[in-house]
């Protein structure tokens, strides 16, 4: 999978002078570099003691010297034609950030359309955003001091909205440019009780940090961030139901959000799903229904 990942990058219309492939080995038991005979000259290889995804990405950012950054997990890949469409946007329109889609299908169409430029704040006010940092090609200079918080599960939820708000020229396309694999044993498929509880507690921690950050932002940025906070609050309660199926846990987490001014969910027509969930979670009967239908 790692070889396929790197090959998907070297197939792009970027010659060796135009690309920089940084491979962070986050303390694997057996280094894969010895098996990568054909890829060695294509990559910058760094090995570190196992510290988790955030530390690995932060190390990559520290080393990166390119104008644009693209995160790719080692078991995923980019899809040539759709990603070339994203590269063309970067080449000809000088974006701060290009937003595209991820897919679990390899055979996809290549759209030729895009929208932009717009500010990241406007995009976030009008749209739900994709959490994964892998869904964005972005200019390194907009990062400033922004990095991933170590030790969090789903750290992208904290990083990505801050990244988008820093973009003054954002372009968005429906290109399915990033291919991800659902792999048994990955973070996304871990279903242990400890993992489920940590996932919920880390989501709350991210919510509170974004809420604190929101209070310091200019008005239009704050409106954008508040939409994301509302969406994450909904996801927090939805996942409480999905992961625990416990009425007691749901009520406890509702009270946690209420304590911090995050419940009731704001009365906004962000999406139909949000509006329906907001109304249901506000009543005893609605909560019983959600506990029944969410699997």
């Amino acid at each position: 999978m790692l070889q396929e990942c790197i090959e998907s990058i070297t197939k792009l219309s970027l010659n060796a002078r135009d690309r920089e492939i940084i491979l962070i080995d986050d303390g694997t038991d057996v280094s894969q570099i010895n098996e990568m005979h054909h890829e060695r000259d294509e990559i910058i290889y760094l090995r570190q003691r196992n510290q988790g995804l955030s530390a690995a990405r932060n190390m990559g950012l520290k080393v990166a010297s390119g104008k644009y950054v693209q995160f790719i997990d080692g078991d995923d890949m980019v899809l040539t034609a759709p990603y070339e469409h994203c590269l063309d946007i970067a080449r000809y329109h000088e974006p701060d950030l290009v937003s595209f889609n991820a897919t679990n299908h390899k055979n996809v169409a290549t759209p030729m359309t895009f929208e932009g430029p717009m500010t990241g704040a406007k995009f976030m006010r009008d749209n739900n955003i994709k959490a994964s940092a892998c869904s964005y090609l972005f200019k390194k200079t907009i990062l400033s001091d922004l990095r991933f918080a170590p030790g969090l599960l789903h750290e992208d939820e904290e990083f990505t909205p801050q990244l988008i708000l820093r973009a003054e020229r954002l372009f968005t396309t429906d290109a399915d440019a990033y291919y991800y694999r659902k792999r048994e044993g990955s973070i996304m498929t871990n279903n242990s009780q400890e993992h489920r509880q940590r996932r919920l507690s880390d989501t709350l921690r991210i919510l509170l940090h974004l809420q604190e950050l929101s209070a310091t932002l200019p008005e239009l940025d704050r409106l954008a961030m508040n939409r994301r906070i509302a969406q994450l609050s909904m996801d927090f309660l939805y996942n409480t139901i999905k992961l625990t199926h416990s009425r007691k846990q749901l009520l406890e987490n509702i009270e946690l959000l209420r304590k911090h001014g995050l419940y009731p969910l704001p009365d906004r027509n962000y999406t139909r799903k949000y509006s329906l969930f907001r109304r249901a979670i506000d009543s005893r009967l609605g909560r019983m229904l959600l506990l029944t239908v969410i699997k």
Side-chain angles (χ1 to χ4, degrees), residues 237-255:
L237 296 178
Y238 179 92
N239 285 323
T240 297
I241 297 171
K242 184 175 181 180
L243 296 174
T244 71
H245 298 288
S246 166
R247 179 176 176 273
K248 180 175 180 290
Q249 181 82 68
L250 176 60
L251 293 177
E252 288 177 354
N253 284 351
I254 285 174
E255 290 308 309

Side-chain angles (χ1 to χ4, degrees), residues 241 280 283-295:
I241 297 171
S283 70
R284 180 175 178 273
L285 182 60
R287 290 191 288 270
M288 290 177 61
L289 178 62
L290 289 172
L291 283 162
T292 301
V293 300
I294 295 175
K295 305 298 184 183

Side-chain angles (χ1 to χ4, degrees), residues 101-137:
N101 295 332
T103 178
N104 59 356
H105 301 286
K106 286 187 177 180
N107 297 318
V108 296
T110 305
M112 301 303 294
T113 59
F114 57 87
E115 296 181 19
M118 66 191 84
T119 65
K122 175 173 173 48
F123 181 70
M124 280 181 60
R125 289 196 304 271
D126 297 339
N127 300 275
N128 285 351
I129 65 171
K130 298 177 284 289
S132 172
C134 296
S135 293
Y136 305 94
L137 172 66

Side-chain angles (χ1 to χ4, degrees), residues 8-24:
S8 77
I9 303 170
T10 57
K11 286 178 182 176
L12 298 170
S13 59
L14 297 169
N15 62 44
R17 295 186 303 275
D18 294 331
R19 67 169 184 254
E20 183 180 59
I21 305 173
I22 302 169
L23 175 61
I24 308 297

Side-chain angles (χ1 to χ4, degrees), residues 228-243:
R228 186 57 184 163
I229 290 170
Q231 186 69 44
L232 279 177
S233 298
M234 184 195 83
D235 291 347
F236 176 66
L237 296 178
Y238 179 92
N239 285 323
T240 297
I241 297 171
K242 184 175 181 180
L243 296 174

Side-chain angles (χ1 to χ4, degrees), residues 47-273:
R47 180 176 170 84
Q48 64 183 25
R49 178 172 54 84
N50 178 250
Q51 300 173 61
L53 181 57
S54 290
R57 286 179 172 174
N58 289 341
M59 176 59 72
L61 290 173
K62 182 177 181 179
V63 172
S65 63
K67 182 176 181 180
Y68 286 93
V69 172
Q70 173 68 59
F71 292 114
I72 308 178
D73 291 342
D75 49 358
D76 298 336
M77 58 187 290
V78 293
L79 298 176
T80 306
Y83 197 80
E84 289 286 357
H85 174 60
C86 301
L87 288 178
D88 283 343
I89 296 172
R91 288 181 176 115
Y92 300 117
H93 299 280
E94 197 63 25
D96 290 329
L97 184 146
V98 180
S99 170
F100 50 85
N101 295 332
T103 178
N104 59 356
H105 301 286
K106 286 187 177 180
N107 297 318
V108 296
T110 305
M112 301 303 294
T113 59
F114 57 87
E115 296 181 19
M118 66 191 84
T119 65
K122 175 173 173 48
F123 181 70
M124 280 181 60
R125 289 196 304 271
D126 297 339
N127 300 275
N128 285 351
I129 65 171
K130 298 177 284 289
S132 172
C134 296
S135 293
Y136 305 94
L137 172 66
F138 61 90
K139 194 176 287 186
K140 189 186 177 189
T141 53
I142 71 171
L143 280 174
S144 185
D145 60 350
L146 178 62
R147 295 295 184 271
F148 291 90
L152 283 177
L153 284 177
H154 305 290
E155 58 287 309
D156 292 22
E157 295 282 12
E158 183 178 60
F159 176 90
T160 301
Q162 296 182 74
L163 174 70
I164 293 174
L165 280 182
R166 294 168 186 238
E168 293 297 323
R169 289 178 57 81
L170 181 148
F171 289 78
T172 180
T173 171
D174 287 334
D176 294 325
Y178 186 94
Y179 174 74
Y180 69 92
R181 291 180 171 93
K182 291 184 178 180
R183 183 171 54 83
E184 288 299 321
S186 69
I187 293 175
M188 294 299 295
T189 59
N190 190 331
N191 198 36
S192 69
Q193 182 176 354
E194 179 183 0
H195 182 88
R196 293 195 300 266
Q197 290 300 325
R198 184 183 167 195
R199 179 175 171 183
L200 293 173
S201 63
D202 279 5
T203 299
L204 181 61
R205 176 180 163 188
I206 291 168
L207 270 169
L208 297 182
H209 179 239
L210 294 181
Q211 183 188 42
E212 180 182 4
L213 177 64
S214 177
T216 70
L217 297 174
E219 181 180 2
L220 294 180
D221 287 12
R222 185 167 63 252
L223 290 173
M225 183 63 82
N226 286 346
R227 172 172 178 151
R228 186 57 184 163
I229 290 170
Q231 186 69 44
L232 279 177
S233 298
M234 184 195 83
D235 291 347
F236 176 66
L237 296 178
Y238 179 92
N239 285 323
T240 297
I241 297 171
K242 184 175 181 180
L243 296 174
T244 71
H245 298 288
S246 166
R247 179 176 176 273
K248 180 175 180 290
Q249 181 82 68
L250 176 60
L251 293 177
E252 288 177 354
N253 284 351
I254 285 174
E255 290 308 309
L256 275 174
L257 292 186
R258 193 194 305 275
K259 174 183 176 183
H260 294 285
L262 297 173
Y263 184 90
L265 300 177
D267 186 2
R268 299 285 188 273
N269 293 321
Y270 292 139
T271 64
R272 177 173 171 78
K273 179 182 178 181

